Amino acid sequence: MIEPALAPLDVARIRADFPILERKINGAPLVYLDSAATTQKPNVVIDAIGNYYRTSNANVHRGVHSLGNEATDAFELGRRRVAQFIDADPAGLVFTRNTTEALNLVAASYAREMLQPGDRIVVTEMEHHSNLVPWQLASERAGLELAAIRLQDDGTLDMDDAERLLKPPTRLLSVTHQSNVLGTVNDLATLTRLAHAAGALVCVDAAQSVPHRPVSVRQLDCDFLAFSGHKMCGPMGIGVLWARPEPLNAMPPFQGGGSMILRVTLQHSSWNDVPHKFEAGTPDVASVVGLAAACDYIDNIGLTAICEHETRLTKRLLDVLTTIGDIDIHGPLDLTQRGGCVSFNVGNVHAHDVGTILDRTGIAVRAGHHCCQPLMQRLGVPATTRASTYLYTTPNEIDALGEGLAEVKRVFRV
Amino acid sequence: MIEPALAPLDVARIRADFPILERKINGAPLVYLDSAATTQKPNVVIDAIGNYYRTSNANVHRGVHSLGNEATDAFELGRRRVAQFIDADPAGLVFTRNTTEALNLVAASYAREMLQPGDRIVVTEMEHHSNLVPWQLASERAGLELAAIRLQDDGTLDMDDAERLLKPPTRLLSVTHQSNVLGTVNDLATLTRLAHAAGALVCVDAAQSVPHRPVSVRQLDCDFLAFSGHKMCGPMGIGVLWARPEPLNAMPPFQGGGSMILRVTLQHSSWNDVPHKFEAGTPDVASVVGLAAACDYIDNIGLTAICEHETRLTKRLLDVLTTIGDIDIHGPLDLTQRGGCVSFNVGNVHAHDVGTILDRTGIAVRAGHHCCQPLMQRLGVPATTRASTYLYTTPNEIDALGEGLAEVKRVFRV
Amino acid sequence: MVGFSNTTPVEDDLYREIVLEHYSHPRHRGELETASSRVDATNPLCGDELSLAWRVEGGRISGIAFSGRGCSISMASASMLCEALDGQDMATAADIAARFRSMLLDKGPSDGLGDLEALRGVAAYPVRIKCAVLAWNALLQELAGTAETEP
Amino acid sequence: MVGFSNTTPVEDDLYREIVLEHYSHPRHRGELETASSRVDATNPLCGDELSLAWRVEGGRISGIAFSGRGCSISMASASMLCEALDGQDMATAADIAARFRSMLLDKGPSDGLGDLEALRGVAAYPVRIKCAVLAWNALLQELAGTAETEP
Ligand SMILES: Cc1ncc(COP(=O)(O)O)c(C=O)c1O
Ligand SMILES: Cc1ncc(COP(=O)(O)O)c(C=O)c1O
């Protein structure tokens, strides 16, 4: 049975929801191909933040007055809405600043506090610094071993190496769902099976997957999952750690302060229930409200449709890059193995020069190490140029990128 | 020479800047006397956030494209603006989520990592849980001693006890500038002199002072200072840790991830310069922009004028409470020793009942332990009612509170 | 004269006479030395603290008491709980508890709840509902726990 | 024909001929075994890495070289730096560095800067200024350090 293809996105209508897309950059219309770094925000999200401050702003969980109650309701409804977005129980959903903080929370309260010297943590060669440095800090301080699953030349993980490493004394695998450089979507089903069979927990860096494809923590069967609001049409300053109840209940607090306590004396304290135990101090209620609005916005359009749209764009992007010539594409070319974020190098032109020339005609791409220095070393390049798409990206913008790259070749005589 | 009194604030004009103040609560106009928990936001702050998302949103510190550059400029200009607000060098200004995270940063990266077993940390009996629990966590984990300066019955610190405790092996004093329950403004000059003479550093919880009176870290001569944007007309989700360069440079990172690194390999990393070393992951640029707008807004009105306004309101509030009778006021009555936040109990009516009755006529006060359980124990009450003022508070609102409290007495036959 | 003259104040919808009466003169307050069940409940955000203890003999509650401190609603509710459940068989006790919760959380009917009906007004004060159900939740939790461990 | 015919492209304001020429054929690239000063510079956010080494004899730079990798602007700037400073006395070297920085950061005059003037266009690209001044900042930092430790 063939799945009926979804109707293509009405991108023109979607674009009208994003006021920044009307901007001109250096006299040209903005072509925003940097959504993997942060996405733009639709009016409904911007307005949700403003409306919260204009009508219901108060501190939460602490008061008997009506505004405090409205703010608390908005906050906890937001928690439920975001949990629903990843098919999770809200009791396991902890709000953090971003993916980075979510991963640091697991590294500090689980790896550093609950693992034993000699235990091993496994990551991969394609990890973002945010899914590497926290484990380095925890490993150094708690005497843990840190190992990385090797990458194959096609930009996918070496599953033999995974099998070798996902054995005792491995206690935790922390792996990205989708690479922010290569676009590779990792085979989490196999990795999770191997890790769990070895008695290790699985932490998923979902910063690049939750915004772009349907993600269910129940189906993934992972133990921890981290992502950022700002990469999914939501506000900056809000991220999520979801965790299964067993590790979450057992873990000691991450930060101490208001809201996370049950009873406090000058010398000792006891802790509130999860998820509150991990949310110290005044939370960013406005951003939670904004993130819930982003979930509504995305779900109204449909993640499956968004994912199909991005696949079509990625196909066009790969075609354009191949047609131009003298371009090294990093990461898999098979569209079933990747998402809509493509890194490449133009001849031996430095990525910054590529980025600057593109910016002169309004095209925003990322150029640099993308917070993946070990991956750059593995690829043997100092930096790459990365173009990344989202629901508001049009085929014309991909073509504009092609023209810009032709100009790069002209200027640098590649 | 008598200081010329400043012109009183034009509160009617100020109130027009705060859209939420037009709200009705249970049919009555909102009387917001809970600014110590979080303040309301003027249009300029709400609009600054919206405008950022509508025109310049991008990730920072990572790109060569124009939007990325605009966002980075906005972020770093925001840092300079906020540093100026507390008379500080921006290189020592670290953005955090809130006061709580700022204090946890010092507890984790300074106390836990740099102090030795047996070293002593000193706090006070009036601290907010956010300035107590982080030190408990660090002390337990690093074998430190934790002691608290006693409170006198008038709600001020026992300076003899301070002198006794601020001796070796004390290495750090962490103290609130202004109590969020008692309103007490502590004598930081003396405390800092004693601590520094003993070779201890001084960390100031300025959550309740920076929003309400001019604060200069140079004049305070402290080593660390923490505060929250949401308590000073700014957005939620953004706070500040300022620190002197010596401890800040010496401290290991707090969280690992993007932006805080210099060079990363799979096994080891080195760190970026301060303040970036302490800012892992995508920061909340929009909230920094909003906080900078809040600094402008407050400075345009003038902190000295705001402080005088609050002093006048506090005088009226203390008079009203005294006139009503059967009310226990906690904290100093001398206006030179306190700020505009007053806690009290009405007969033996529970604070929640007080809060509920006031809320029925639109009056929002806080009722509970105010995240100060040890102080509640010291005061011998389970909870207090707290009324707190800000630049938009009017004398009429104080009078409305008085009427509400008379109704409390009537219902409960006090 | 009910609801007619405006010189007689209409009764407060939340702080009904009978609620305030239970608050100032709580029934069954104290310790129950011979308790067969005992349970603590706290509301960490408010600071309410409550202990409930009861004795079951021949399938009936033959003694019940509470102690603790908190707001008028949580204390009056605990006092009324003790009065309503003392002497009841366990099935009836559980049924009353379920109907009381339903009255507050789902605005369900209050028939046959007696004095407890006086707490109906709390339903209009969302933040106070957790005060009113504090003792009841503790009771139901303990009953559920007992039910599970007994065959 | 300058600026006249639109068949001859106007020179790129950033990637001037001479800049690209220094980038593809850098001068003084390599190691300087007999260096008296050596300094490293990195731009962590871009990944640019650069080493600069020079030898001072009789108050003059008698040899200078750079190595490293980075974008065209940082590499061309380092190449031009070496060419401009080789053989200069220390005061002149510092003066050229200061004027180069001023040209980019304060849009100051470029008289007498020779080839370096070709980098003036960078001033219009704020994010790239740090690429252009990378080698120069390293040099000035080292000179300042030396000045402080020498009487
Ligand atoms: C795969 C991946 N992990 C982690 C992060 C870190 O996200 P944030 O900066 O929002 O913490 C990013 C984005 O920067 C990412 O792409
Ligand atoms: C004195 C004091 N310290 C710390 C805090 C904690 O602030 P935040 O919740 O913004 O981290 C507060 C406010 O809640 C406070 O009043």
Side-chain angles (χ1 to χ4, degrees):
Chain A
M1 200 189 88
I2 292 163
E3 287 273 337
L6 287 167
L9 296 192
D10 185 348
V11 180
R13 231 182 81 191
I14 290 173
R15 289 178 70 84
D17 296 332
F18 290 80
I20 205 172
L21 297 180
E22 279 160 34
R23 266 218 46 184
K24 294 261 188 298
I25 300 287
N26 298 319
L30 169 63
V31 173
Y32 188 73
L33 294 174
D34 195 20
S35 290
T38 199
T39 64
Q40 297 306 338
K41 321 301 174 200
N43 280 318
V44 285
V45 169
I46 303 172
D47 293 346
I49 300 167
N51 288 341
Y52 167 77
Y53 283 132
R54 267 186 285 268
T55 62
S56 306
N57 175 60
N59 212 320
V60 292
H61 293 313
R62 299 184 192 176
V64 293
H65 62 70
S66 297
L67 276 188
N69 194 35
E70 285 177 27
T72 304
D73 282 353
F75 184 62
E76 293 301 334
L77 268 172
R79 191 193 305 278
R80 286 203 285 273
R81 181 63 189 89
V82 177
Q84 187 201 334
F85 195 79
I86 56 165
D87 189 20
D89 178 352
L93 196 125
V94 177
F95 284 117
T96 62
R97 176 174 32 246
N98 48 27
T99 305
T100 303
E101 192 186 31
L103 295 167
N104 275 277
L105 196 166
V106 182
S109 289
Y110 181 75
R112 183 177 182 182
E113 298 291 340
M114 300 189 62
L115 297 187
Q116 302 303 319
D119 284 351
R120 182 163 62 203
I121 296 175
V122 172
V123 295
T124 83
E125 283 187 342
M126 66 168 78
E127 298 309 323
H128 190 282
H129 295 159
S130 292
N131 194 26
L132 174 61
V133 181
W135 310 114
Q136 289 179 346
L137 293 173
S139 298
E140 247 169 55
R141 290 161 177 184
L144 312 173
E145 188 196 323
L146 184 62
I149 299 171
R150 274 199 298 265
L151 200 67
Q152 303 184 115
D153 289 340
D154 69 354
T156 64
L157 291 178
D158 178 339
M159 295 305 275
D160 291 337
D161 201 41
E163 210 161 332
R164 185 180 65 82
L165 286 171
L166 295 176
K167 294 264 160 63
T170 296
R171 298 294 306 280
L172 184 75
L173 165 68
S174 193
V175 58
T176 191
H177 195 173
Q178 176 174 323
S179 161
N180 65 309
V181 174
L182 306 167
T184 314
V185 175
N186 287 316
D187 175 3
L188 288 189
T190 305
L191 291 168
T192 301
R193 195 169 31 74
L194 290 171
H196 283 170
L201 299 188
V202 175
C203 175
V204 175
D205 173 354
Q208 297 293 344
S209 60
V210 164
H212 298 281
R213 53 187 69 241
V215 170
S216 155
V217 294
R218 270 176 256 266
Q219 275 173 33
L220 285 184
D221 192 31
C222 57
D223 303 281
F224 302 99
L225 183 116
F227 60 99
S228 296
H230 71 93
K231 293 187 198 279
M232 52 182 284
C233 296
M236 293 177 139
I238 195 78
V240 168
L241 173 69
W242 169 85
R244 276 202 309 111
E246 292 77 5
L248 205 59
N249 285 321
M251 281 153 58
F254 178 50
Q255 299 187 6
S259 295
M260 54 71 74
I261 56 89
L262 184 62
R263 205 164 301 174
V264 177
T265 67
L266 281 174
Q267 291 299 331
H268 294 291
S269 300
S270 54
W271 317 127
N272 199 343
D273 294 336
V274 299
H276 310 292
K277 180 167 89 175
F278 295 102
E279 293 177 345
T282 302
D284 189 346
V285 186
S287 292
V288 168
V289 168
L291 180 54
C295 291
D296 286 345
Y297 184 78
I298 291 175
D299 275 345
N300 277 342
I301 293 168
L303 269 170
T304 309
I306 292 170
C307 189
E308 284 199 8
H309 172 69
E310 291 202 61
T311 302
R312 278 189 292 267
L313 292 170
T314 307
K315 181 173 182 324
R316 191 178 192 114
L317 177 49
L318 293 172
D319 287 348
V320 163
L321 294 178
T322 312
T323 310
I324 289 170
D326 300 304
I327 290 185
D328 277 332
I329 301 172
H330 310 289
L333 297 178
D334 175 354
L335 291 170
T336 65
Q337 291 193 313
R338 59 144 45 255
C341 133
V342 179
S343 283
F344 55 87
N345 286 78
V346 183
N348 62 1
V349 182
H350 193 283
H352 282 174
D353 291 316
V354 177
T356 294
I357 292 176
L358 293 174
D359 185 57
R360 298 200 292 198
T361 54
I363 302 168
V365 295
R366 189 117 306 215
H369 55 59
H370 315 289
C371 299
C372 287
Q373 290 185 4
L375 177 55
M376 295 298 116
Q377 279 144 26
R378 171 68 180 77
L379 298 175
V381 294
T384 74
T385 303
R386 180 186 72 189
S388 54
T389 61
Y390 206 23
L391 70 174
Y392 40 64
T393 309
T394 66
N396 286 346
E397 291 183 307
I398 303 296
D399 298 344
L401 172 65
E403 284 159 35
L405 292 173
E407 166 76 1
V408 170
K409 286 181 67 176
R410 199 191 58 69
V411 171
F412 278 88
R413 285 154 216 166
V414 177
Chain B
M1 202 187 89
I2 294 163
E3 287 273 337
L6 287 167
L9 295 192
D10 185 348
V11 181
R13 231 181 81 191
I14 289 173
R15 289 177 70 85
D17 296 332
F18 291 80
I20 205 172
L21 297 180
E22 278 159 34
R23 266 218 46 184
K24 294 263 189 294
I25 300 287
N26 297 318
L30 168 64
V31 174
Y32 188 72
L33 294 173
D34 195 20
S35 290
T38 199
T39 64
Q40 298 304 341
K41 321 301 174 199
N43 280 318
V44 285
V45 168
I46 303 171
D47 293 346
I49 298 166
N51 288 342
Y52 168 77
Y53 284 132
R54 268 186 283 269
T55 62
S56 306
N57 174 60
N59 213 319
V60 292
H61 292 313
R62 299 185 191 176
V64 294
H65 62 69
S66 297
L67 276 188
N69 193 36
E70 284 177 28
T72 305
D73 281 354
F75 184 62
E76 293 301 335
L77 267 172
R79 191 192 304 278
R80 286 204 286 274
R81 181 64 189 89
V82 177
Q84 187 201 336
F85 195 79
I86 55 164
D87 189 21
D89 178 351
L93 196 126
V94 177
F95 284 117
T96 63
R97 175 173 33 247
N98 48 27
T99 305
T100 302
E101 192 187 32
L103 295 167
N104 275 277
L105 196 167
V106 181
S109 291
Y110 181 75
R112 182 176 183 184
E113 299 291 340
M114 300 192 58
L115 297 187
Q116 302 304 319
D119 284 350
R120 183 163 62 202
I121 296 175
V122 172
V123 294
T124 83
E125 283 187 342
M126 65 168 79
E127 298 309 323
H128 190 282
H129 294 159
S130 293
N131 194 26
L132 175 59
V133 181
W135 310 114
Q136 290 180 346
L137 293 173
S139 298
E140 247 170 53
R141 290 161 177 184
L144 311 174
E145 188 197 323
L146 184 62
I149 299 171
R150 273 200 298 264
L151 202 65
Q152 305 185 113
D153 288 340
D154 68 355
T156 63
L157 291 177
D158 178 339
M159 295 306 274
D160 292 337
D161 201 41
E163 209 161 332
R164 186 180 66 82
L165 286 171
L166 295 175
K167 292 265 159 61
T170 296
R171 298 294 307 279
L172 183 75
L173 165 69
S174 193
V175 58
T176 192
H177 195 173
Q178 176 175 322
S179 162
N180 64 310
V181 174
L182 306 167
T184 315
V185 175
N186 286 317
D187 176 4
L188 289 188
T190 304
L191 291 168
T192 302
R193 195 168 31 74
L194 289 170
H196 281 169
L201 300 188
V202 175
C203 176
V204 176
D205 174 353
Q208 296 292 345
S209 59
V210 164
H212 298 280
R213 54 187 67 243
V215 169
S216 155
V217 295
R218 268 175 257 267
Q219 274 174 33
L220 285 183
D221 192 29
C222 57
D223 302 282
F224 302 100
L225 183 117
F227 60 99
S228 295
H230 71 94
K231 292 188 198 279
M232 53 181 282
C233 297
M236 293 177 140
I238 195 78
V240 168
L241 172 68
W242 170 85
R244 276 201 309 111
E246 292 77 4
L248 205 59
N249 285 320
M251 282 153 58
F254 178 48
Q255 299 185 6
S259 294
M260 53 71 75
I261 56 88
L262 185 60
R263 206 165 299 174
V264 177
T265 68
L266 281 174
Q267 291 299 332
H268 293 290
S269 300
S270 55
W271 317 127
N272 199 345
D273 293 336
V274 300
H276 310 291
K277 179 166 89 176
F278 295 101
E279 293 177 346
T282 303
D284 189 346
V285 186
S287 292
V288 168
V289 168
L291 180 54
C295 291
D296 286 345
Y297 183 79
I298 292 174
D299 275 345
N300 277 341
I301 292 168
L303 270 170
T304 309
I306 292 170
C307 190
E308 283 199 6
H309 173 69
E310 291 202 62
T311 301
R312 278 189 292 265
L313 292 170
T314 307
K315 180 172 183 324
R316 192 178 191 114
L317 177 48
L318 293 172
D319 286 349
V320 164
L321 295 177
T322 312
T323 309
I324 290 170
D326 300 305
I327 290 184
D328 277 331
I329 300 171
H330 310 289
L333 298 177
D334 175 353
L335 291 170
T336 65
Q337 291 192 313
R338 58 144 45 254
C341 132
V342 179
S343 283
F344 55 88
N345 286 77
V346 183
N348 61 1
V349 183
H350 193 283
H352 283 173
D353 292 315
V354 177
T356 294
I357 293 177
L358 293 176
D359 185 58
R360 299 200 291 198
T361 53
I363 302 169
V365 295
R366 188 115 307 211
H369 54 60
H370 316 288
C371 299
C372 287
Q373 289 185 4
L375 176 57
M376 295 298 118
Q377 280 144 25
R378 172 67 181 78
L379 297 175
V381 293
T384 73
T385 304
R386 180 187 72 188
S388 55
T389 61
Y390 206 23
L391 70 175
Y392 40 63
T393 309
T394 65
N396 286 347
E397 292 183 306
I398 303 297
D399 297 344
L401 172 66
E403 284 158 34
L405 292 173
E407 167 76 0
V408 169
K409 286 181 66 176
R410 199 192 58 70
V411 171
F412 278 87
R413 288 158 214 164
V414 175
Chain C
M1 299 213 318
V2 174
F4 191 66
S5 148
N6 58 13
T7 58
T8 303
V10 178
E11 231 201 343
D12 196 299
D13 64 336
L14 179 64
Y15 298 110
R16 302 263 298 270
E17 259 327 305
I18 194 162
V19 173
L20 293 176
E21 220 276 313
H22 271 273
Y23 177 47
S24 36
H25 303 105
R27 330 289 199 257
H28 298 265
R29 180 163 200 146
E31 303 300 327
L32 185 71
E33 297 302 331
T34 56
S36 54
S37 292
R38 204 180 286 279
V39 62
D40 291 330
T42 59
N43 186 336
L45 300 167
C46 319
D48 286 354
E49 297 181 3
L50 191 124
S51 283
L52 194 63
W54 63 94
R55 183 178 55 234
V56 180
E57 282 176 314
R60 279 185 185 278
I61 294 177
S62 64
I64 184 162
F66 81 98
S67 61
R69 57 185 194 172
C71 65
S72 62
I73 304 297
S74 65
M75 294 295 111
S77 182
S79 170
M80 291 182 185
L81 178 155
C82 292
E83 205 168 60
L85 302 194
D86 195 20
Q88 304 286 0
D89 64 48
M90 296 316 289
T92 309
D95 179 58
I96 293 174
R99 282 192 292 133
F100 177 76
R101 277 176 46 89
S102 156
M103 171 182 86
L104 291 184
L105 298 170
D106 324 319
K107 313 217 167 166
S110 53
D111 328 308
L113 282 176
D115 275 10
L116 289 169
E117 198 276 330
L119 284 168
R120 164 179 288 286
V122 179
Y125 295 79
V127 275
R128 304 306 297 276
I129 292 176
K130 60 180 179 297
C131 309
V133 297
L134 184 66
W136 300 85
N137 283 349
L139 174 91
L140 284 170
Q141 208 179 306
E142 176 69 15
L143 292 186
T146 317
E148 269 165 29
T149 48
E150 285 187 0
Chain D
M1 296 211 321
V2 175
F4 191 65
S5 148
N6 58 12
T7 59
T8 303
V10 177
E11 233 203 340
D12 196 299
D13 64 336
L14 179 63
Y15 297 112
R16 301 263 298 270
E17 258 328 306
I18 193 162
V19 173
L20 294 175
E21 220 276 316
H22 271 274
Y23 178 46
S24 36
H25 303 104
R27 330 293 198 256
H28 300 265
R29 182 164 198 142
E31 303 301 327
L32 185 71
E33 297 302 332
T34 55
S36 53
S37 293
R38 203 180 289 276
V39 62
D40 290 331
T42 59
N43 187 335
L45 301 166
C46 319
D48 288 354
E49 297 182 1
L50 191 124
S51 284
L52 194 65
W54 63 92
R55 183 178 55 234
V56 180
E57 282 175 313
R60 278 185 187 279
I61 295 177
S62 64
I64 184 163
F66 81 99
S67 61
R69 58 187 193 172
C71 66
S72 62
I73 304 297
S74 65
M75 293 294 111
S77 182
S79 170
M80 291 182 185
L81 177 154
C82 292
E83 205 169 59
L85 301 193
D86 194 21
Q88 303 288 0
D89 64 49
M90 298 315 290
T92 309
D95 178 56
I96 293 172
R99 280 192 291 134
F100 177 76
R101 276 176 47 89
S102 155
M103 172 180 86
L104 291 183
L105 299 169
D106 322 319
K107 313 216 167 165
S110 53
D111 328 309
L113 283 175
D115 275 11
L116 290 169
E117 198 275 332
L119 285 168
R120 163 180 290 285
V122 179
Y125 295 81
V127 276
R128 304 306 297 277
I129 292 175
K130 59 179 178 297
C131 309
V133 297
L134 185 66
W136 300 86
N137 282 349
L139 173 92
L140 283 170
Q141 206 179 308
E142 175 70 14
L143 293 186
T146 317
E148 268 166 28
T149 47
E150 285 188 359

